Amino acid sequence: MKFLGNVLATIVGIFIFCMLFFGGFIVISAIFRSGDSNKVVVDDNSVIEFDMKKITNDYGGKYSDPWVTMFSEGKNIGVSDVLTAIKEAKTDEKIKGISILNNSSGIGMAQAKELRSALADFKKSGKFVVAYADMYSQKEYYMASVADTIYLNPVGEMEFKGLSTELMFFKDLQDKSGVKMEIIRHGKYKSAVEPFLENKMSDANREQVSALLNSVWNSVLNDISKSRNIPVTKLNEIANGLLARTPEMAKSQHLIDKIAYEDEFRAGIKKALKVDKDDDYHSVSIADYAQKVANSPKSASTSDRIAVIYAQGEIKDGEGDVSYIGEGSMRRSLKEAREDDDVKAIVLRIDSPGGNALTSDLIWREIELTKKVKPVVVSMGNLAASGGYYIACNANEIFAEENTITGSIGVFGMLPNFTALSQKIGINTEVVSTNENAAAYSPFRPLDPKLRAVVQESVERIYGTFVTRVATGRKMTFEQVDAIGQGRVWSGSEAIKIGLVDKIGNMDDALKAAAKLGKITAYKTRNYPEYEKTLGDMLGGFPFAQSKASLIKEEIGAENFEIWEKVKKMTTAEKGIQAKMDYEIFIK
């Protein structure tokens, strides 16, 4: 036994040594890598390679712990950094043009519009923007359509067919599985819970989704029409007839300019740069260039600042991170910004479907306190719906893109119930309690009518608070907000007509408005939040500690993973009442 104990101890010792050695190697590598990461060299006569594949969030994030920053993925570059980089490239003498080469991204439509606008502004410098793809999806073509010359691979294809979305319904699955979601809601358009109640879309839901898709599609067509000089009516004809599905058809409809291979595309760039055909031209990725711009010393001519606070992801309790909004980081950021004498105004950038109602109200309260000290302007990204609108509604001014999804002023509660399932598989429960309502809710018993009434009362109370917050912030009556509320979603171009948004505009427009309200002309921006996250929290990102969800996604594919997540959500209770656009509109 002693011999076996010694062997075991030796094995454990070797294992610990290997882990420490491996960990030390990673740390040392990271230190050297971080030292080099700021040294992005841009040669004369260079072209920016524009590809957003690894950049999805508006904000790349920063952390109070330098070790976390060192190990964080993607160099902490966000869409906002890319926009700044494109603006910088416009006057950078070393940059001669931008090449959109097989761009593939996970960004939303509002982000795509903002990037497209930045590329259009870049062209005003006289520098070129050219685009090539083996295959164009609609979103990637939308961004590429701003280019001077658009190439498509001879055996490639183009997707140009209009927008659609597909919603999943789980009523039959609940009946067959015995897992039922008990729904308590307010709002006839609050379709977050509809998939658990029906097997098809309600007329109200179909109405709002149809209006939303048409609004976004019209915005896309208007932009393409201006860039390609093709009437909107003609673009709809092309979409309806799938008249651009092949390279030859796309060219005949003037959606692209040239049918060529990638080497021919690159040869065209060489010619524009006057580079010998046997030589390579200098290029730098948009991520590296954005990193260089972000790390370049800024002029110290003014101490005035505008704080840009990013609220992206679902609203939950806790600290928050780049992927979700927590009250910890949000309230701390607002407090720091309002107490900083150099900060003269605040822009709150929102990209969120909402979430926990209590957390939304805590953030709303912090904005109320901040407004008493300095102005707050909201810039809406892809999504500022339900709780995402809750934290926007009391700002001094609200900007949205035409294709931003907003509104969804509604509230719901959802409780999983396994009564039928437990009966099927032979599970029985007994309850012992001290008071009448001590055990009002159990997932293994039918929902008590008294509890349903209590939850409904809570939903109504929070909905009333939500509507009151909006009415006060937007200077409307309760009845006016209720009429456009009820959980209905609106596009930015629709929201401005009904008073939920002040102006159509992007982040730059919001910054200009904030500067005007803050009574400053020259300023620099300071990004928030700075997340309080430990290195231990980040280790889950390493390959040897890959999350279960990541493994499942890798095995079954992204689309099947989305289905798996929806089914998983069906069996998980949300904490607290939700002000959330819980169903997801994936625009295809």
Side-chain angles (χ1 to χ4, degrees):
M1 291 297 291
K2 185 177 180 181
F3 171 75
L4 290 175
N6 290 336
V7 171
L8 181 61
T10 301
I11 292 171
V12 171
I14 292 171
F15 175 75
I16 293 173
F17 171 79
C18 290
M19 290 300 294
L20 289 172
F21 177 80
F22 181 61
F25 176 75
I26 291 174
V27 170
I28 292 168
S29 299
I31 291 171
F32 281 106
R33 188 170 64 249
S34 67
D36 293 336
S37 64
N38 297 339
K39 299 177 182 177
V40 177
V41 177
V42 179
D43 297 302
D44 290 334
N45 213 31
S46 287
V47 174
I48 291 176
E49 299 279 2
F50 184 89
D51 186 357
M52 298 293 293
K53 186 177 295 180
K54 295 182 179 179
I55 305 171
T56 55
N57 292 323
D58 283 330
Y59 179 48
K62 58 182 177 181
Y63 303 89
S64 56
D65 186 340
W67 288 100
V68 176
T69 301
M70 184 185 299
F71 284 102
S72 59
E73 192 176 339
K75 296 184 180 179
N76 302 89
I77 294 299
V79 173
S80 60
D81 299 299
V82 172
L83 291 166
T84 301
I86 294 172
K87 186 183 295 185
E88 179 72 18
K90 184 179 177 182
T91 56
D92 187 339
E93 293 181 356
K94 292 184 176 182
I95 299 298
K96 302 303 180 184
I98 295 177
S99 164
I100 307 174
L101 179 60
N102 280 322
N103 181 39
S104 174
S105 68
I107 62 175
M109 293 301 291
Q111 289 171 313
K113 184 177 180 68
E114 198 158 3
L115 286 166
R116 190 182 186 282
S117 297
L119 291 169
D121 182 65
F122 173 85
K123 285 172 55 179
K124 293 176 182 177
S125 65
K127 300 177 182 183
F128 64 79
V129 176
V130 289
Y132 170 90
D134 293 325
M135 180 271 178
Y136 280 115
S137 68
Q138 287 190 128
K139 183 173 63 180
E140 309 313 340
Y141 176 73
Y142 172 55
M143 279 196 287
S145 64
V146 76
D148 301 295
T149 309
I150 304 174
Y151 292 73
L152 180 58
N153 187 292
V155 291
E157 56 187 45
M158 175 177 282
E159 180 185 69
F160 194 80
K161 58 186 180 181
L163 305 180
S164 70
T165 188
E166 185 174 21
L167 303 182
M168 296 177 65
F169 294 84
F170 303 105
K171 187 174 183 300
D172 282 352
L173 176 62
Q174 292 179 102
D175 294 340
K176 291 176 181 178
S177 66
V179 178
K180 181 184 179 184
M181 299 306 293
E182 299 286 0
I183 305 300
I184 302 97
R185 64 173 172 171
H186 182 105
K188 67 177 182 178
Y189 291 100
K190 198 60 187 173
S191 307
V193 294
E194 188 175 273
F196 305 107
L197 302 173
E198 305 291 342
N199 280 324
K200 62 179 183 179
M201 294 177 73
S202 64
D203 291 340
N205 193 16
R206 184 172 292 279
E207 173 192 349
Q208 70 167 343
V209 173
S210 178
L212 179 67
L213 288 178
N214 278 294
S215 180
V216 173
W217 180 237
N218 287 335
S219 175
V220 168
L221 291 184
N222 285 326
D223 286 341
I224 295 174
S225 176
K226 290 174 186 175
S227 292
R228 300 299 299 175
N229 197 26
I230 304 172
V232 169
T233 52
K234 179 61 178 176
L235 289 171
N236 270 317
E237 286 177 18
I238 295 170
N240 289 334
L242 300 177
L243 302 180
R245 60 186 184 272
T246 68
E248 292 75 18
M249 295 172 78
K251 187 177 180 184
S252 69
Q253 298 294 344
H254 306 293
L255 291 182
I256 66 169
D257 300 295
K258 294 186 179 182
I259 300 171
Y261 287 99
E262 185 179 330
D263 60 286
E264 295 172 295
F265 166 73
R266 290 184 179 276
I269 294 177
K270 289 180 184 181
K271 186 176 180 181
L273 296 174
K274 298 179 181 178
V275 171
D276 189 274
K277 64 179 182 180
D278 295 324
D279 295 333
D280 291 328
Y281 58 85
H282 299 300
S283 65
V284 58
S285 73
I286 188 62
D288 284 343
Y289 188 74
Q291 182 79 2
K292 178 183 182 298
V293 170
N295 289 318
S296 297
K298 305 297 187 295
S299 170
S301 60
T302 178
S303 62
D304 290 339
R305 299 284 189 275
I306 292 179
V308 181
I309 302 177
Y310 290 88
Q312 53 193 28
E314 190 175 327
I315 299 174
K316 304 178 182 180
D317 58 2
E319 167 63 13
D321 201 346
V322 291
S323 58
Y324 79 95
I325 302 166
E327 82 271 13
S329 57
M330 288 300 297
R331 294 173 72 186
R332 186 174 62 253
S333 297
L334 285 160
K335 185 173 185 291
E336 288 176 6
R338 74 169 175 262
E339 293 179 354
D340 187 335
D341 292 337
D342 289 338
V343 172
K344 306 303 180 184
I346 294 165
V347 171
L348 179 62
R349 173 69 173 189
I350 302 174
D351 189 0
S352 172
N356 186 280
L358 173 59
T359 302
S360 300
D361 195 69
L362 291 173
I363 297 170
W364 172 90
R365 175 60 182 169
E366 208 66 45
I367 293 170
E368 278 293 286
L369 296 174
T370 303
K371 272 174 54 185
K372 294 176 182 178
V373 181
K374 51 195 66 171
V376 179
V377 175
V378 161
S379 169
M380 293 181 172
N382 300 313
L383 191 62
S386 208
Y389 188 77
Y390 197 124
I391 64 174
C393 69
N394 58 335
N396 296 91
E397 203 165 355
I398 300 177
F399 286 79
E401 294 282 10
E402 290 178 343
N403 48 18
T404 295
I405 299 174
T406 189
S408 191
I409 302 167
V411 182
F412 70 90
M414 190 160 57
L415 299 169
N417 191 282
F418 307 117
T419 302
L421 174 62
S422 62
Q423 290 173 348
K424 285 181 183 180
I425 62 178
I427 295 176
N428 298 290
T429 62
E430 292 287 342
V431 177
V432 179
S433 57
T434 60
N435 294 77
E436 183 179 347
N437 297 305
Y441 170 68
S442 168
F444 298 103
R445 298 196 315 275
L447 185 63
D448 189 307
K450 290 182 181 178
L451 177 61
R452 178 178 287 277
V454 169
V455 177
Q456 185 69 54
E457 179 185 276
S458 181
V459 165
E460 297 299 335
R461 178 175 60 83
I462 293 172
Y463 178 75
T465 302
F466 192 170
V467 172
T468 301
R469 300 279 192 247
V470 175
T472 303
R474 301 303 299 163
K475 297 179 174 57
M476 300 166 73
T477 66
F478 186 98
E479 291 72 24
Q480 286 174 321
V481 177
D482 188 40
I484 59 176
Q486 301 289 327
R488 177 162 181 167
V489 295
W490 306 89
S491 68
S493 56
E494 294 170 322
I496 195 170
K497 298 173 186 175
I498 58 176
L500 293 181
V501 167
D502 292 301
K503 294 177 182 176
I504 297 298
N506 55 27
M507 175 72 90
D508 272 349
D509 297 313
L511 285 168
K512 290 173 186 174
K516 185 176 180 180
L517 290 171
K519 299 177 181 178
I520 55 176
T521 52
Y523 61 88
K524 288 186 279 189
T525 60
R526 180 176 294 163
N527 291 340
Y528 297 82
E530 183 176 275
Y531 302 107
E532 294 183 350
K533 201 168 187 178
T534 66
L535 183 59
D537 297 327
M538 294 298 296
L539 288 178
F542 286 114
F544 57 81
Q546 192 175 12
S547 69
K548 179 176 70 174
S550 299
L551 290 170
I552 293 172
K553 188 174 184 178
E554 186 177 325
E555 286 297 317
I556 66 177
E559 291 187 2
N560 290 328
F561 180 74
E562 288 169 9
I563 298 171
W564 178 82
E565 275 196 317
K566 289 177 183 178
V567 175
K568 182 184 174 184
K569 275 187 179 181
M570 192 186 79
T571 61
T572 306
E574 300 277 6
K575 185 178 178 181
I577 300 300
Q578 301 293 301
K580 179 180 172 187
M581 195 184 81
D582 201 47
Y583 71 98
E584 296 170 90
I585 298 180
F586 291 103
I587 298 177
K588 302 187 235 182

